[in-house]
Amino acid sequence: MNTIGLKPALPVISGSKRLGLFSFNGGNQPIDFKPRGVCLIKVAMEETQTLKVDVQGKVDKLANGHAGNSTNIKWHECPVEKIDRQKLLQQKGCVIWITGLSGSGKSSVACALSQMLYQRGKLSYILDGDNVRHGLNRDLSFKAEDRVENIRRVGEVAKLFADAGFICIACLISPYKKDRAACRAMLPSGDFIEVGASPVFMDVPLRVCEDRDPKGLYKLARAGKIKGFTGIDDPYESPLDAEIVLQCNTGDCSTPGDMAGKVISYLEEKGYLQA
């Protein structure tokens, strides 16, 4: 059994491949490998954790909850801090949170904004709602409780990018006010630009988004093939105090570049594009 990736300090593992049984010499129960090559291992630590492991010993998922359940941990301070990284990058780390209905143009504006920042020699990174579900959040569905967790995880990652000195651009539907407010509360005042304290709001009417329907999702939702789709049978709670509102109506819609330019102007005005 290849045990690469199992970090806990454990006694030597012994066992028989022929029998499919492995045991720890510290007295733990044998491990019964299931036919699909997945097993559950009870690891004797300060706090017992359940790990889902494949036959190569690669950890797939930690199943004992979120970091909030961790005990006996302490934040480790390092001599290089956010202010030092900002001086190195000649910019201020922050989170630009772009919210709006599916098809409102969030990703297009985010990409245009990232390109404009790159052309100015500024470092940014996009956390796109669909992209994060390919990896970090691939275990989450679109049920209400999973949507909450999806936003929480993206908020935590965005906070790390901002602390690293990046201009982090998060573009997600993020339909619920309380979830956006929770992400805002993760960062120091001024570092969260929902764009800082309220989102960059893609104020695009439902009819325009539905006419665009770039992924065909509205059509599926109207046919009853997708349940809980934002704007159809699940609510979208518009921000009431957004610093930046990017509007688009039928026949009167700025290009993604023009919309991104509005965000750039805000960042310049507030001093985020210098250390």
Side-chain angles (χ1 to χ4, degrees), residues 157-187:
V157 174
K159 179 179 69 173
L160 294 176
F161 271 109
D163 187 61
F166 281 66
I167 296 172
C168 183
I169 307 165
C171 50
L172 306 92
I173 294 175
S174 45
Y176 309 130
K177 292 177 184 176
K178 60 181 178 61
D179 296 336
R180 299 193 299 262
C183 290
R184 183 187 312 133
M186 293 178 186
L187 286 97

Side-chain angles (χ1 to χ4, degrees), residues 40-105:
L40 290 178
I41 304 177
K42 291 288 186 180
V43 182
M45 300 173 65
E46 287 183 5
E47 183 175 339
T48 301
Q49 297 174 328
T50 303
L51 302 178
K52 189 178 179 183
V53 183
D54 66 17
V55 290
Q56 278 85 34
K58 182 180 178 182
V59 175
D60 181 56
K61 182 182 177 184
L62 185 65
N64 73 324
H66 310 310
N69 295 329
S70 299
T71 59
N72 300 320
I73 61 173
K74 182 180 179 180
W75 187 267
H76 187 83
E77 296 290 348
C78 292
V80 178
E81 298 181 341
K82 181 179 181 180
I83 191 170
D84 303 304
R85 293 186 285 270
Q86 290 181 151
K87 288 179 180 178
L88 181 67
L89 296 171
Q90 285 299 296
Q91 64 185 50
K92 290 185 175 70
C94 62
V95 175
I96 299 170
W97 194 281
I98 305 178
T99 177
L101 291 168
S102 177
S104 60

